Amino acid sequence: MQKLIIQGGIPLHGEITISGAKNAALPVLCAALLTQESLKISNVPALQDITTMLSLLKQMGTSITAHNASEVVLSAFELTNLVAPYEMVKTMRAAILVLGPLLARAGEANISLPGGCAIGLRPVDQHIKGLQAMGAEINIKHGYIHAVAKKLHGARIVFDIVTVTGTENLMMAATLADGTTILENAAREPEIIDLANCLNAMGAKIQGAGSDIITIEGVSSLHGAEHTVMPDRIETGTFLVAATATGGEIHLQNTHSHLLDAVLDKLTEAGAHIDSSENWIHLKMSVKPKSVNLRTAPYPAFPTDMQAQFMSLNCIANGTAIITETIFENRLMHVQELKRMNANIEVEGNAAIIYGLTQLDGAHVMATDLRASASLVIAGLIAQGETVIDRIYHLDRGYENIEGKLSALGAQIRRAI
């Protein structure tokens, strides 16, 4: 099993380019199922989850051509298999995103239930409730969602809770439904806007993406298009936190500051000096960080996907911080690993109290999920001595060539078996 080995204590300096967003690319790839024509997608990150999704789409009958490392062309002229098997879904919960497109275009879908997730419950009941409101007949047997609909129709759907993948699934399904669909209490994440932009380029009629009310006027068919995936705001935030924690100065290309206002506000509060323009962000940290309190919540509030990284920052900051996790009930698993590096953290329910120390100590630790992995990398960068991180396959699901990018910024980091 591969591991990362980090020699800490080196401030990050230099320039790197941010990759396309995984959480935007995955639903956009699924949008190819909605048309017989070709969808050309650029700025696609090279990640394990992307590879898994492409494999799933291919076994459904989609032809896939890679023009270069970050560009793919998908053509789902004929859908030959309407099943998303457990073997694929168990490794990537985003596979549920094929449900809406398959049902809308082919009138049937058989999708394995996603199953458990390390960071907490991620129920798909909102997906099912919405599709039923649009006329689908859905049965769950032997661990699979079997959905059938001769033709979906527009409906007014009010989500009980804010759900990103639920919003994306129903938005895609509604593009080919008869009539108008209104999604209320919809997710507002930038990735929702990115998907809507792609669908509109394919001929869909979507308004309100980025707000909590999205209106989709169904059309008879969608056509081919070209789309460039938005920059990854979580990768952006992760590198900015790493530079802040190590006392460095970095310049990030191909990213947008407006995608992560809440994160930049907290980094400024910690003492970082940040400049930005249309396509770049520059951060300089010349003082010891100050502790920052934060509370996760749906966009545009502070993202749960940045919580773990800020915990590592707070471990060596001046003062005491309280981090409250409101999205997932089991997303503080990295605390025990950070404690192995001498972090002073107490957990009370869904909150962690972090007492800042002068330094962390390098140690042998284990990643428990994607963002926990990133927090341990940051901890390793600021720790004295050597840090060894096991189970780094989590990182490969969400960070493209993270050790290469960190090495370009001066970090001493390598992958080993």
Side-chain angles (χ1 to χ4, degrees), residues 332-361:
L332 295 175
M333 292 187 293
H334 44 283
V335 169
Q336 292 305 316
E337 299 304 309
L338 290 173
K339 283 185 173 183
R340 290 178 54 80
M341 303 178 72
N342 198 39
N344 188 356
I345 306 172
E346 296 178 3
V347 175
E348 296 182 2
N350 66 334
I353 305 168
I354 306 102
Y355 303 93
L357 302 171
T358 302
Q359 69 176 53
L360 294 178
D361 298 331

Side-chain angles (χ1 to χ4, degrees), residues 33-50:
L33 296 172
L34 290 164
T35 178
Q36 291 184 318
E37 299 181 17
S38 295
L39 178 62
K40 180 179 178 181
I41 310 172
S42 303
N43 202 32
V44 179
L47 301 170
Q48 185 57 50
D49 278 8
I50 298 296

Side-chain angles (χ1 to χ4, degrees), residues 18-31:
I18 296 299
S19 300
K22 179 192 81 163
N23 290 337
L26 290 171
V28 166
L29 291 172
C30 294

